[in-house]
Short mmCIF file of all heavy atoms in Angstrom, two decimals:
data_model
loop_
_atom_site.label_atom_id
_atom_site.label_comp_id
_atom_site.label_asym_id
_atom_site.label_seq_id
_atom_site.Cartn_x
_atom_site.Cartn_y
_atom_site.Cartn_z
N MET A 1 81.01 -36.37 -7.27
CA MET A 1 81.57 -36.93 -6.06
C MET A 1 81.44 -38.49 -6.17
O MET A 1 80.45 -38.97 -6.58
CB MET A 1 80.88 -36.35 -4.84
CG MET A 1 81.46 -36.76 -3.56
SD MET A 1 80.67 -35.85 -2.19
CE MET A 1 82.04 -34.76 -1.84
N ARG A 2 82.46 -39.18 -5.71
CA ARG A 2 82.41 -40.63 -5.77
C ARG A 2 82.48 -41.21 -4.36
O ARG A 2 83.09 -40.65 -3.48
CB ARG A 2 83.58 -41.16 -6.60
CG ARG A 2 83.48 -40.71 -8.02
CD ARG A 2 84.55 -41.14 -8.95
NE ARG A 2 85.68 -41.80 -8.39
CZ ARG A 2 86.57 -42.51 -9.07
NH1 ARG A 2 86.38 -42.65 -10.36
NH2 ARG A 2 87.57 -43.10 -8.52
N TYR A 3 81.82 -42.33 -4.18
CA TYR A 3 81.75 -43.00 -2.87
C TYR A 3 82.25 -44.43 -3.05
O TYR A 3 82.19 -44.99 -4.16
CB TYR A 3 80.31 -43.02 -2.35
CG TYR A 3 79.81 -41.63 -2.08
CD1 TYR A 3 79.14 -40.91 -3.09
CD2 TYR A 3 80.01 -41.03 -0.86
CE1 TYR A 3 78.69 -39.61 -2.84
CE2 TYR A 3 79.54 -39.73 -0.62
CZ TYR A 3 78.92 -39.04 -1.61
OH TYR A 3 78.48 -37.77 -1.35
N PRO A 4 82.72 -45.08 -1.96
CA PRO A 4 83.13 -46.47 -2.09
C PRO A 4 82.01 -47.37 -2.61
O PRO A 4 80.84 -47.10 -2.34
CB PRO A 4 83.50 -46.82 -0.60
CG PRO A 4 83.78 -45.54 0.03
CD PRO A 4 82.89 -44.51 -0.62
N LYS A 5 82.40 -48.38 -3.31
CA LYS A 5 81.45 -49.30 -3.89
C LYS A 5 80.52 -49.85 -2.80
O LYS A 5 80.96 -50.29 -1.75
CB LYS A 5 82.23 -50.46 -4.57
CG LYS A 5 81.28 -51.37 -5.38
CD LYS A 5 82.10 -52.40 -6.11
CE LYS A 5 81.20 -53.27 -6.94
NZ LYS A 5 81.94 -54.18 -7.80
N GLY A 6 79.22 -49.83 -3.08
CA GLY A 6 78.22 -50.36 -2.15
C GLY A 6 77.68 -49.32 -1.20
O GLY A 6 76.73 -49.61 -0.48
N LEU A 7 78.21 -48.10 -1.18
CA LEU A 7 77.70 -47.05 -0.31
C LEU A 7 76.95 -46.03 -1.12
O LEU A 7 77.34 -45.65 -2.21
CB LEU A 7 78.84 -46.35 0.44
CG LEU A 7 79.59 -47.18 1.46
CD1 LEU A 7 80.71 -46.35 2.09
CD2 LEU A 7 78.65 -47.69 2.52
N ASP A 8 75.80 -45.62 -0.55
CA ASP A 8 75.02 -44.54 -1.21
C ASP A 8 75.69 -43.20 -1.00
O ASP A 8 76.43 -43.00 -0.03
CB ASP A 8 73.62 -44.48 -0.61
CG ASP A 8 72.79 -45.72 -0.94
OD1 ASP A 8 73.08 -46.36 -1.97
OD2 ASP A 8 71.90 -46.05 -0.14
N GLY A 9 75.38 -42.26 -1.86
CA GLY A 9 75.90 -40.91 -1.72
C GLY A 9 75.20 -40.18 -0.63
O GLY A 9 74.17 -40.61 -0.09
N LEU A 10 75.76 -39.06 -0.28
CA LEU A 10 75.20 -38.17 0.76
C LEU A 10 73.83 -37.66 0.32
O LEU A 10 73.64 -37.26 -0.79
CB LEU A 10 76.17 -37.00 0.95
CG LEU A 10 75.69 -35.91 1.89
CD1 LEU A 10 75.71 -36.37 3.32
CD2 LEU A 10 76.61 -34.69 1.76
N LYS A 11 72.91 -37.68 1.24
CA LYS A 11 71.59 -37.13 0.99
C LYS A 11 71.47 -35.84 1.80
O LYS A 11 71.19 -35.81 2.95
CB LYS A 11 70.51 -38.12 1.42
CG LYS A 11 70.48 -39.35 0.50
CD LYS A 11 69.48 -40.36 1.02
CE LYS A 11 69.45 -41.62 0.15
NZ LYS A 11 70.70 -42.33 0.04
N LEU A 12 71.74 -34.70 1.10
CA LEU A 12 71.72 -33.39 1.71
C LEU A 12 70.29 -32.97 1.99
O LEU A 12 69.45 -32.98 1.12
CB LEU A 12 72.42 -32.39 0.75
CG LEU A 12 72.72 -31.04 1.32
CD1 LEU A 12 73.71 -31.15 2.49
CD2 LEU A 12 73.29 -30.16 0.25
N ALA A 13 70.05 -32.55 3.25
CA ALA A 13 68.71 -32.08 3.63
C ALA A 13 68.62 -30.55 3.64
O ALA A 13 67.53 -30.02 3.50
CB ALA A 13 68.36 -32.61 4.98
N GLY A 14 69.75 -29.88 3.77
CA GLY A 14 69.72 -28.41 3.79
C GLY A 14 71.09 -27.83 3.90
O GLY A 14 72.01 -28.52 4.29
N ALA A 15 71.21 -26.56 3.52
CA ALA A 15 72.45 -25.86 3.61
C ALA A 15 72.16 -24.40 3.80
O ALA A 15 71.12 -23.86 3.36
CB ALA A 15 73.31 -26.04 2.37
N LYS A 16 73.06 -23.70 4.54
CA LYS A 16 72.97 -22.29 4.76
C LYS A 16 74.35 -21.66 4.53
O LYS A 16 75.37 -22.31 4.74
CB LYS A 16 72.51 -21.97 6.19
CG LYS A 16 71.13 -22.45 6.50
CD LYS A 16 70.77 -22.14 7.93
CE LYS A 16 69.38 -22.65 8.25
NZ LYS A 16 69.03 -22.39 9.68
N LEU A 17 74.35 -20.43 4.10
CA LEU A 17 75.60 -19.69 3.82
C LEU A 17 75.48 -18.32 4.41
O LEU A 17 74.44 -17.63 4.26
CB LEU A 17 75.86 -19.63 2.29
CG LEU A 17 77.04 -18.81 1.80
CD1 LEU A 17 78.32 -19.47 2.28
CD2 LEU A 17 77.00 -18.68 0.29
N TRP A 18 76.58 -17.85 4.99
CA TRP A 18 76.66 -16.49 5.50
C TRP A 18 77.96 -15.84 5.01
O TRP A 18 78.92 -16.52 4.76
CB TRP A 18 76.69 -16.48 7.04
CG TRP A 18 75.49 -16.99 7.72
CD1 TRP A 18 74.44 -16.27 8.15
CD2 TRP A 18 75.20 -18.36 8.10
NE1 TRP A 18 73.50 -17.08 8.74
CE2 TRP A 18 73.97 -18.38 8.75
CE3 TRP A 18 75.92 -19.56 7.95
CZ2 TRP A 18 73.40 -19.54 9.20
CZ3 TRP A 18 75.37 -20.72 8.42
CH2 TRP A 18 74.08 -20.74 9.06
N ALA A 19 77.91 -14.52 4.91
CA ALA A 19 79.08 -13.72 4.53
C ALA A 19 79.33 -12.66 5.59
O ALA A 19 78.41 -12.17 6.18
CB ALA A 19 78.88 -13.06 3.16
N SER A 20 80.61 -12.40 5.84
CA SER A 20 81.01 -11.34 6.78
C SER A 20 82.04 -10.46 6.12
O SER A 20 82.89 -10.92 5.39
CB SER A 20 81.61 -11.99 8.04
OG SER A 20 82.19 -10.99 8.89
N TYR A 21 81.91 -9.17 6.39
CA TYR A 21 82.82 -8.20 5.81
C TYR A 21 83.75 -7.57 6.85
O TYR A 21 84.46 -6.61 6.57
CB TYR A 21 82.04 -7.14 5.05
CG TYR A 21 81.06 -7.78 4.08
CD1 TYR A 21 79.72 -7.91 4.36
CD2 TYR A 21 81.53 -8.34 2.89
CE1 TYR A 21 78.86 -8.51 3.51
CE2 TYR A 21 80.68 -8.96 2.03
CZ TYR A 21 79.35 -9.08 2.33
OH TYR A 21 78.48 -9.71 1.47
N ASP A 22 83.69 -8.08 8.08
CA ASP A 22 84.48 -7.55 9.22
C ASP A 22 85.16 -8.68 10.00
O ASP A 22 85.21 -8.67 11.18
CB ASP A 22 83.63 -6.65 10.12
CG ASP A 22 82.39 -7.38 10.67
OD1 ASP A 22 82.29 -8.64 10.51
OD2 ASP A 22 81.56 -6.74 11.29
N ASP A 23 85.68 -9.65 9.23
CA ASP A 23 86.46 -10.79 9.79
C ASP A 23 85.63 -11.62 10.79
O ASP A 23 86.14 -12.18 11.73
CB ASP A 23 87.71 -10.34 10.44
CG ASP A 23 88.75 -9.81 9.43
OD1 ASP A 23 88.63 -10.16 8.26
OD2 ASP A 23 89.65 -9.04 9.87
N GLY A 24 84.29 -11.70 10.57
CA GLY A 24 83.47 -12.57 11.35
C GLY A 24 82.77 -11.96 12.56
O GLY A 24 82.13 -12.66 13.35
N THR A 25 82.89 -10.65 12.74
CA THR A 25 82.16 -10.02 13.85
C THR A 25 80.68 -10.01 13.59
O THR A 25 79.90 -10.31 14.50
CB THR A 25 82.68 -8.59 14.06
OG1 THR A 25 84.06 -8.60 14.35
CG2 THR A 25 81.95 -7.89 15.22
N ASN A 26 80.27 -9.70 12.39
CA ASN A 26 78.86 -9.70 11.99
C ASN A 26 78.68 -10.56 10.76
O ASN A 26 79.54 -10.55 9.86
CB ASN A 26 78.40 -8.24 11.67
CG ASN A 26 78.51 -7.35 12.89
OD1 ASN A 26 77.76 -7.53 13.83
ND2 ASN A 26 79.44 -6.44 12.87
N TRP A 27 77.58 -11.28 10.70
CA TRP A 27 77.31 -12.16 9.58
C TRP A 27 75.97 -11.82 8.91
O TRP A 27 75.03 -11.46 9.60
CB TRP A 27 77.25 -13.64 10.06
CG TRP A 27 78.59 -14.13 10.52
CD1 TRP A 27 79.06 -14.08 11.81
CD2 TRP A 27 79.64 -14.66 9.72
NE1 TRP A 27 80.32 -14.57 11.84
CE2 TRP A 27 80.70 -14.97 10.60
CE3 TRP A 27 79.78 -14.96 8.39
CZ2 TRP A 27 81.88 -15.53 10.12
CZ3 TRP A 27 80.93 -15.48 7.93
CH2 TRP A 27 81.99 -15.79 8.79
N GLN A 28 75.94 -11.94 7.58
CA GLN A 28 74.71 -11.75 6.81
C GLN A 28 74.38 -13.05 6.06
O GLN A 28 75.27 -13.55 5.37
CB GLN A 28 74.85 -10.60 5.85
CG GLN A 28 75.10 -9.27 6.49
CD GLN A 28 75.31 -8.16 5.46
OE1 GLN A 28 75.18 -8.35 4.28
NE2 GLN A 28 75.63 -7.00 5.98
N GLN A 29 73.18 -13.56 6.23
CA GLN A 29 72.84 -14.79 5.56
C GLN A 29 72.69 -14.53 4.06
O GLN A 29 72.09 -13.53 3.64
CB GLN A 29 71.59 -15.43 6.11
CG GLN A 29 71.33 -16.81 5.55
CD GLN A 29 70.34 -17.61 6.37
OE1 GLN A 29 69.76 -17.13 7.35
NE2 GLN A 29 70.10 -18.85 5.96
N VAL A 30 73.19 -15.45 3.24
CA VAL A 30 73.10 -15.39 1.79
C VAL A 30 71.93 -16.29 1.36
O VAL A 30 71.96 -17.47 1.77
CB VAL A 30 74.42 -15.79 1.12
CG1 VAL A 30 74.27 -15.82 -0.40
CG2 VAL A 30 75.54 -14.90 1.58
N ARG A 31 71.01 -15.80 0.59
CA ARG A 31 69.91 -16.63 0.12
C ARG A 31 70.40 -17.65 -0.89
O ARG A 31 71.14 -17.30 -1.85
CB ARG A 31 68.82 -15.78 -0.51
CG ARG A 31 67.62 -16.56 -1.00
CD ARG A 31 66.63 -15.66 -1.67
NE ARG A 31 66.10 -14.62 -0.80
CZ ARG A 31 64.97 -14.69 -0.14
NH1 ARG A 31 64.23 -15.78 -0.28
NH2 ARG A 31 64.58 -13.75 0.67
N LEU A 32 70.06 -18.92 -0.66
CA LEU A 32 70.43 -20.00 -1.58
C LEU A 32 69.15 -20.52 -2.27
O LEU A 32 68.13 -20.66 -1.63
CB LEU A 32 71.13 -21.17 -0.84
CG LEU A 32 72.41 -20.83 -0.13
CD1 LEU A 32 72.90 -22.06 0.65
CD2 LEU A 32 73.45 -20.35 -1.08
N ASP A 33 69.28 -20.84 -3.57
CA ASP A 33 68.12 -21.42 -4.22
C ASP A 33 68.12 -22.94 -4.08
O ASP A 33 69.01 -23.49 -3.37
CB ASP A 33 68.10 -21.00 -5.74
CG ASP A 33 69.28 -21.55 -6.51
OD1 ASP A 33 69.96 -22.49 -6.09
OD2 ASP A 33 69.53 -21.01 -7.64
N ASP A 34 67.20 -23.61 -4.71
CA ASP A 34 67.10 -25.06 -4.56
C ASP A 34 68.33 -25.82 -5.08
O ASP A 34 68.60 -26.91 -4.66
CB ASP A 34 65.85 -25.59 -5.29
CG ASP A 34 64.59 -25.15 -4.60
OD1 ASP A 34 64.64 -24.83 -3.41
OD2 ASP A 34 63.54 -25.11 -5.28
N GLY A 35 69.07 -25.21 -5.98
CA GLY A 35 70.34 -25.80 -6.48
C GLY A 35 71.54 -25.41 -5.66
O GLY A 35 72.67 -25.68 -6.01
N LEU A 36 71.29 -24.76 -4.50
CA LEU A 36 72.32 -24.25 -3.56
C LEU A 36 73.25 -23.20 -4.19
O LEU A 36 74.40 -23.10 -3.85
CB LEU A 36 73.17 -25.44 -3.02
CG LEU A 36 72.38 -26.51 -2.29
CD1 LEU A 36 73.32 -27.59 -1.78
CD2 LEU A 36 71.60 -25.88 -1.10
N ASN A 37 72.68 -22.43 -5.10
CA ASN A 37 73.38 -21.30 -5.72
C ASN A 37 72.93 -20.01 -5.01
O ASN A 37 71.75 -19.87 -4.68
CB ASN A 37 73.08 -21.17 -7.20
CG ASN A 37 73.50 -22.42 -7.97
OD1 ASN A 37 74.71 -22.74 -7.96
ND2 ASN A 37 72.57 -23.10 -8.60
N GLY A 38 73.87 -19.10 -4.80
CA GLY A 38 73.56 -17.86 -4.15
C GLY A 38 74.45 -16.75 -4.73
O GLY A 38 75.45 -17.03 -5.39
N THR A 39 74.06 -15.53 -4.42
CA THR A 39 74.87 -14.37 -4.87
C THR A 39 75.25 -13.55 -3.65
O THR A 39 74.40 -13.20 -2.85
CB THR A 39 74.07 -13.48 -5.86
OG1 THR A 39 73.68 -14.25 -6.98
CG2 THR A 39 74.84 -12.29 -6.28
N ILE A 40 76.55 -13.26 -3.56
CA ILE A 40 77.07 -12.41 -2.46
C ILE A 40 77.22 -11.02 -3.03
O ILE A 40 77.96 -10.81 -4.01
CB ILE A 40 78.38 -12.98 -1.96
CG1 ILE A 40 78.15 -14.37 -1.35
CG2 ILE A 40 78.98 -12.01 -0.93
CD1 ILE A 40 79.41 -15.05 -0.93
N ASP A 41 76.52 -10.06 -2.43
CA ASP A 41 76.60 -8.64 -2.89
C ASP A 41 77.65 -7.97 -2.00
O ASP A 41 77.39 -7.59 -0.87
CB ASP A 41 75.25 -7.99 -2.73
CG ASP A 41 74.20 -8.59 -3.63
OD1 ASP A 41 74.51 -8.92 -4.77
OD2 ASP A 41 73.06 -8.76 -3.15
N ASN A 42 78.87 -7.84 -2.56
CA ASN A 42 79.97 -7.27 -1.79
C ASN A 42 79.80 -5.76 -1.69
O ASN A 42 79.64 -5.08 -2.68
CB ASN A 42 81.31 -7.56 -2.48
CG ASN A 42 81.55 -9.04 -2.54
OD1 ASN A 42 81.36 -9.77 -1.60
ND2 ASN A 42 82.02 -9.53 -3.71
N PRO A 43 79.81 -5.23 -0.46
CA PRO A 43 79.73 -3.77 -0.28
C PRO A 43 80.94 -3.09 -0.88
O PRO A 43 82.06 -3.63 -0.91
CB PRO A 43 79.68 -3.57 1.24
CG PRO A 43 79.58 -4.91 1.85
CD PRO A 43 79.89 -5.92 0.80
N ALA A 44 80.76 -1.85 -1.30
CA ALA A 44 81.83 -1.10 -1.93
C ALA A 44 83.03 -0.90 -0.98
O ALA A 44 84.18 -0.84 -1.42
CB ALA A 44 81.32 0.26 -2.40
N ASN A 45 82.81 -0.82 0.33
CA ASN A 45 83.86 -0.53 1.23
C ASN A 45 84.50 -1.78 1.85
O ASN A 45 85.35 -1.70 2.71
CB ASN A 45 83.40 0.39 2.38
CG ASN A 45 82.24 -0.28 3.19
OD1 ASN A 45 81.67 -1.27 2.78
ND2 ASN A 45 82.00 0.30 4.35
N ALA A 46 84.08 -2.99 1.40
CA ALA A 46 84.62 -4.22 2.01
C ALA A 46 86.02 -4.52 1.43
O ALA A 46 86.27 -4.30 0.24
CB ALA A 46 83.72 -5.37 1.72
N GLY A 47 86.92 -4.98 2.28
CA GLY A 47 88.23 -5.35 1.79
C GLY A 47 88.37 -6.86 1.61
O GLY A 47 88.92 -7.34 0.63
N PHE A 48 87.85 -7.60 2.58
CA PHE A 48 87.87 -9.05 2.54
C PHE A 48 86.49 -9.58 2.85
O PHE A 48 85.70 -8.95 3.53
CB PHE A 48 88.85 -9.58 3.61
CG PHE A 48 90.29 -9.34 3.23
CD1 PHE A 48 90.91 -8.18 3.70
CD2 PHE A 48 91.00 -10.26 2.51
CE1 PHE A 48 92.26 -7.93 3.43
CE2 PHE A 48 92.32 -10.01 2.20
CZ PHE A 48 92.96 -8.86 2.65
N VAL A 49 86.22 -10.81 2.37
CA VAL A 49 84.96 -11.48 2.68
C VAL A 49 85.24 -12.79 3.34
O VAL A 49 86.09 -13.57 2.87
CB VAL A 49 84.16 -11.71 1.38
CG1 VAL A 49 82.86 -12.46 1.68
CG2 VAL A 49 83.85 -10.40 0.70
N SER A 50 84.64 -13.04 4.53
CA SER A 50 84.69 -14.31 5.18
C SER A 50 83.41 -15.06 4.90
O SER A 50 82.33 -14.48 4.72
CB SER A 50 84.85 -14.08 6.69
OG SER A 50 86.07 -13.42 7.00
N LEU A 51 83.50 -16.37 4.84
CA LEU A 51 82.33 -17.21 4.50
C LEU A 51 82.14 -18.26 5.58
O LEU A 51 83.09 -18.81 6.12
CB LEU A 51 82.54 -17.91 3.16
CG LEU A 51 82.70 -17.00 1.97
CD1 LEU A 51 83.04 -17.82 0.71
CD2 LEU A 51 81.45 -16.17 1.74
N ARG A 52 80.86 -18.56 5.86
CA ARG A 52 80.52 -19.65 6.82
C ARG A 52 79.43 -20.45 6.14
O ARG A 52 78.45 -19.91 5.62
CB ARG A 52 80.01 -19.07 8.12
CG ARG A 52 79.52 -20.12 9.11
CD ARG A 52 79.16 -19.53 10.45
NE ARG A 52 80.42 -19.17 11.11
CZ ARG A 52 80.48 -18.34 12.14
NH1 ARG A 52 79.40 -17.72 12.58
NH2 ARG A 52 81.61 -18.06 12.70
N VAL A 53 79.57 -21.78 6.14
CA VAL A 53 78.58 -22.64 5.54
C VAL A 53 78.19 -23.69 6.56
O VAL A 53 78.99 -24.12 7.37
CB VAL A 53 79.12 -23.29 4.23
CG1 VAL A 53 80.31 -24.22 4.52
CG2 VAL A 53 78.03 -24.07 3.51
N GLN A 54 76.93 -24.05 6.53
CA GLN A 54 76.40 -25.10 7.39
C GLN A 54 75.60 -26.06 6.49
O GLN A 54 74.77 -25.61 5.69
CB GLN A 54 75.47 -24.54 8.44
CG GLN A 54 74.89 -25.60 9.37
CD GLN A 54 73.88 -24.96 10.31
OE1 GLN A 54 72.79 -24.60 9.85
NE2 GLN A 54 74.25 -24.83 11.58
N ALA A 55 75.91 -27.35 6.59
CA ALA A 55 75.17 -28.35 5.79
C ALA A 55 74.65 -29.41 6.73
O ALA A 55 75.29 -29.84 7.68
CB ALA A 55 76.11 -28.96 4.75
N THR A 56 73.44 -29.91 6.42
CA THR A 56 72.76 -30.96 7.20
C THR A 56 72.37 -32.06 6.30
O THR A 56 71.81 -31.84 5.20
CB THR A 56 71.53 -30.40 7.91
OG1 THR A 56 71.95 -29.28 8.71
CG2 THR A 56 70.89 -31.42 8.84
N ASP A 57 72.67 -33.33 6.70
CA ASP A 57 72.25 -34.48 5.84
C ASP A 57 70.89 -35.02 6.35
O ASP A 57 70.33 -34.56 7.30
CB ASP A 57 73.35 -35.55 5.82
CG ASP A 57 73.54 -36.27 7.13
OD1 ASP A 57 72.68 -36.16 8.06
OD2 ASP A 57 74.53 -37.01 7.22
N ALA A 58 70.44 -35.98 5.57
CA ALA A 58 69.08 -36.56 5.84
C ALA A 58 68.98 -37.22 7.23
O ALA A 58 67.91 -37.38 7.77
CB ALA A 58 68.70 -37.52 4.74
N ASP A 59 70.13 -37.62 7.80
CA ASP A 59 70.13 -38.23 9.12
C ASP A 59 70.18 -37.21 10.24
O ASP A 59 70.21 -37.57 11.45
CB ASP A 59 71.33 -39.19 9.24
CG ASP A 59 71.19 -40.39 8.35
OD1 ASP A 59 70.09 -40.82 8.06
OD2 ASP A 59 72.27 -40.90 7.92
N GLY A 60 70.28 -35.90 9.89
CA GLY A 60 70.33 -34.85 10.89
C GLY A 60 71.72 -34.46 11.32
O GLY A 60 71.88 -33.62 12.22
N ASP A 61 72.77 -35.09 10.72
CA ASP A 61 74.15 -34.71 11.03
C ASP A 61 74.44 -33.36 10.37
O ASP A 61 74.05 -33.08 9.25
CB ASP A 61 75.12 -35.77 10.48
CG ASP A 61 74.82 -37.13 11.07
OD1 ASP A 61 74.74 -37.22 12.31
OD2 ASP A 61 74.73 -38.11 10.30
N THR A 62 75.13 -32.50 11.12
CA THR A 62 75.43 -31.14 10.65
C THR A 62 76.90 -30.86 10.70
O THR A 62 77.57 -31.31 11.66
CB THR A 62 74.68 -30.13 11.52
OG1 THR A 62 73.27 -30.37 11.41
CG2 THR A 62 74.90 -28.70 11.07
N ILE A 63 77.37 -30.16 9.73
CA ILE A 63 78.77 -29.67 9.73
C ILE A 63 78.73 -28.18 9.45
O ILE A 63 77.92 -27.67 8.71
CB ILE A 63 79.64 -30.39 8.71
CG1 ILE A 63 81.10 -29.98 8.86
CG2 ILE A 63 79.15 -30.21 7.28
CD1 ILE A 63 82.07 -30.82 8.07
N GLU A 64 79.64 -27.47 10.11
CA GLU A 64 79.77 -26.02 9.87
C GLU A 64 81.24 -25.73 9.66
O GLU A 64 82.09 -26.24 10.38
CB GLU A 64 79.22 -25.25 11.07
CG GLU A 64 79.18 -23.75 10.86
CD GLU A 64 78.52 -23.05 12.04
OE1 GLU A 64 77.32 -23.21 12.17
OE2 GLU A 64 79.25 -22.31 12.73
N GLN A 65 81.54 -24.87 8.67
CA GLN A 65 82.89 -24.50 8.39
C GLN A 65 82.94 -23.02 8.11
O GLN A 65 82.10 -22.44 7.43
CB GLN A 65 83.43 -25.25 7.21
CG GLN A 65 84.91 -25.00 6.97
CD GLN A 65 85.51 -25.95 5.93
OE1 GLN A 65 84.82 -26.78 5.40
NE2 GLN A 65 86.77 -25.77 5.72
N THR A 66 83.97 -22.35 8.64
CA THR A 66 84.18 -20.94 8.45
C THR A 66 85.54 -20.68 7.80
O THR A 66 86.55 -21.27 8.27
CB THR A 66 84.16 -20.18 9.84
OG1 THR A 66 82.87 -20.43 10.44
CG2 THR A 66 84.35 -18.71 9.65
N ALA A 67 85.56 -19.85 6.80
CA ALA A 67 86.79 -19.46 6.12
C ALA A 67 86.92 -17.94 6.30
O ALA A 67 86.23 -17.16 5.68
CB ALA A 67 86.77 -19.80 4.65
N THR A 68 87.78 -17.51 7.24
CA THR A 68 88.03 -16.10 7.47
C THR A 68 88.89 -15.55 6.38
O THR A 68 89.89 -16.15 6.00
CB THR A 68 88.71 -15.88 8.86
OG1 THR A 68 87.89 -16.51 9.86
CG2 THR A 68 88.90 -14.40 9.16
N ARG A 69 88.49 -14.40 5.82
CA ARG A 69 89.16 -13.78 4.71
C ARG A 69 89.28 -14.77 3.52
O ARG A 69 90.36 -14.97 2.97
CB ARG A 69 90.50 -13.21 5.10
CG ARG A 69 90.36 -12.04 6.06
CD ARG A 69 91.64 -11.30 6.29
NE ARG A 69 91.35 -10.10 7.11
CZ ARG A 69 92.12 -9.06 7.11
NH1 ARG A 69 93.19 -9.01 6.37
NH2 ARG A 69 91.82 -8.02 7.82
N ALA A 70 88.15 -15.35 3.12
CA ALA A 70 88.11 -16.33 2.06
C ALA A 70 88.58 -15.71 0.74
O ALA A 70 89.22 -16.39 -0.04
CB ALA A 70 86.69 -16.88 1.92
N TYR A 71 88.24 -14.43 0.53
CA TYR A 71 88.76 -13.79 -0.67
C TYR A 71 88.77 -12.26 -0.42
O TYR A 71 88.13 -11.74 0.44
CB TYR A 71 87.94 -14.12 -1.91
CG TYR A 71 86.50 -13.70 -1.91
CD1 TYR A 71 86.07 -12.46 -2.41
CD2 TYR A 71 85.48 -14.56 -1.43
CE1 TYR A 71 84.75 -12.08 -2.45
CE2 TYR A 71 84.14 -14.19 -1.46
CZ TYR A 71 83.80 -12.98 -1.98
OH TYR A 71 82.51 -12.61 -1.97
N GLN A 72 89.60 -11.62 -1.22
CA GLN A 72 89.78 -10.15 -1.13
C GLN A 72 89.03 -9.50 -2.30
O GLN A 72 89.02 -10.00 -3.40
CB GLN A 72 91.25 -9.80 -1.22
CG GLN A 72 91.51 -8.31 -1.09
CD GLN A 72 93.01 -7.96 -1.12
OE1 GLN A 72 93.84 -8.80 -1.48
NE2 GLN A 72 93.33 -6.77 -0.74
N ILE A 73 88.41 -8.36 -1.97
CA ILE A 73 87.74 -7.62 -3.02
C ILE A 73 88.71 -6.53 -3.52
O ILE A 73 89.20 -5.72 -2.75
CB ILE A 73 86.48 -6.95 -2.45
CG1 ILE A 73 85.51 -7.99 -1.94
CG2 ILE A 73 85.81 -6.10 -3.50
CD1 ILE A 73 84.34 -7.46 -1.18
N ARG A 74 88.98 -6.59 -4.77
CA ARG A 74 89.92 -5.63 -5.36
C ARG A 74 89.12 -4.63 -6.20
O ARG A 74 88.29 -4.99 -6.98
CB ARG A 74 90.95 -6.30 -6.25
CG ARG A 74 91.80 -7.28 -5.41
CD ARG A 74 92.83 -7.90 -6.25
NE ARG A 74 93.51 -8.94 -5.49
CZ ARG A 74 94.81 -8.89 -5.16
NH1 ARG A 74 95.55 -7.89 -5.58
NH2 ARG A 74 95.33 -9.84 -4.45
N ARG A 75 89.42 -3.40 -6.01
CA ARG A 75 88.74 -2.31 -6.75
C ARG A 75 89.71 -1.60 -7.63
O ARG A 75 90.82 -1.45 -7.40
CB ARG A 75 88.12 -1.32 -5.76
CG ARG A 75 87.23 -1.99 -4.78
CD ARG A 75 85.78 -1.81 -5.08
NE ARG A 75 84.96 -2.47 -4.05
CZ ARG A 75 84.07 -3.36 -4.30
NH1 ARG A 75 83.86 -3.76 -5.51
NH2 ARG A 75 83.37 -3.90 -3.36
#
C-alpha cells in the first residue's frame, strides 16, 4: 500500500472477521492469527457466504464492512 509523500502508513491495532451462511442473520467469528490470516470452514449445506470485517487503527478509529453473499460455495 502506498501513502502520499510525508505521511506515515496506517498503524493497525486490531481486526476481526465474521462469516455468515444465512445472509447475515447469524454470524460466526473467524479466528485470525497475528498476520491477520484465518480459515473459514464452510458447512456442507451452505450456499453462499457473507463476510463482515472490522478494523481498528492505533488512534482508535474503527471501520466495519459487510459483504452479503461475498462468494458462493459450489459442490
Side-chain angles (χ1 to χ4, degrees):
M1 186 172 253
R2 296 180 353 163
Y3 297 91
K5 187 175 183 175
L7 292 180
D8 293 332
L10 174 70
K11 291 175 181 61
L12 190 63
K16 295 179 182 179
L17 175 66
W18 295 269
S20 172
Y21 308 102
D22 56 9
D23 293 338
T25 300
N26 298 290
W27 294 93
Q28 297 177 6
Q29 190 164 1
V30 177
R31 181 183 299 264
L32 299 176
D33 64 18
D34 292 337
L36 301 180
N37 298 300
T39 300
I40 297 173
D41 298 319
N42 299 315
N45 63 344
F48 291 89
V49 179
S50 298
L51 299 173
R52 176 175 288 161
V53 64
Q54 180 187 70
T56 304
D57 68 13
D59 294 330
D61 300 311
T62 301
I63 186 169
E64 186 174 292
Q65 186 170 0
T66 301
T68 304
R69 294 191 172 203
Y71 64 91
Q72 183 177 13
I73 300 170
R74 298 184 187 244
R75 308 257 181 236

